[in-house]
Amino acid sequence: QVQIVESGGGLVQPGGSLRLSCAASGFTLDRYSIGWFRQAPGKSREGVSSISAHDGSTYYIDSVKGRFTISRDIAKNTVYLQMNSLKPEDTAVYYCAASYGNSWSVPSFYEYEYWGQGTQVTVSS
């Protein structure tokens, strides 16, 4: 049974940091790429970053490059999103999702099969 559970969201001041975790079960990270998405109120879901199954290659949208880092721990079957220098515009519900096979770019919603329930990130003073 496939399960994805996100954690680590919360309230942080601008310039602060958070680390999101995505714990996967029912599949392994060497066969499934993982993508992080976010959805702000009134906006569509946006792919933020992905890490490829085969070799761990990573991809980011321009607005988070240099601030966010995606990584994975194969042994723990967990993917992380380290978010630094957070801005109010990063406020959103963040979702983790899995796609069978390799990832070659920033994640696209339609490519991902399994989804977590989301975790709220609020950046505000």
Side-chain angles (χ1 to χ4, degrees):
Q1 181 180 355
V2 171
Q3 189 172 17
I4 296 174
V5 180
E6 304 100 331
S7 61
L11 173 64
V12 64
Q13 292 186 342
S17 298
L18 283 174
R19 188 177 79 158
L20 305 184
S21 297
C22 170
S25 58
F27 64 94
T28 57
L29 298 181
D30 59 346
R31 292 186 177 272
Y32 281 76
S33 297
I34 298 295
W36 282 100
F37 296 77
R38 65 186 180 186
Q39 188 165 18
K43 295 188 177 181
S44 58
R45 197 166 296 190
E46 172 186 46
V48 175
S49 179
S50 66
I51 186 163
S52 184
H54 175 61
D55 61 0
S57 296
T58 59
Y59 304 90
Y60 303 91
I61 55 171
D62 287 346
S63 60
V64 308
K65 283 181 180 177
R67 300 190 297 123
F68 290 12
T69 303
I70 190 171
S71 62
R72 65 182 181 179
D73 185 327
I74 296 288
K76 294 183 178 179
N77 222 35
T78 299
V79 172
Y80 304 97
L81 186 67
Q82 178 67 44
M83 306 187 297
N84 298 329
S85 302
L86 282 161
K87 303 176 181 180
E89 51 263 45
D90 295 317
T91 295
V93 178
Y94 282 71
Y95 297 90
C96 176
S99 175
Y100 182 76
N102 293 327
S103 172
W104 306 102
S105 65
V106 171
S108 174
F109 176 86
Y110 299 102
E111 297 173 343
Y112 284 73
E113 308 158 50
Y114 304 110
W115 292 81
Q117 82 289 349
T119 185
Q120 176 70 47
V121 171
T122 303
V123 184
S124 175
S125 55

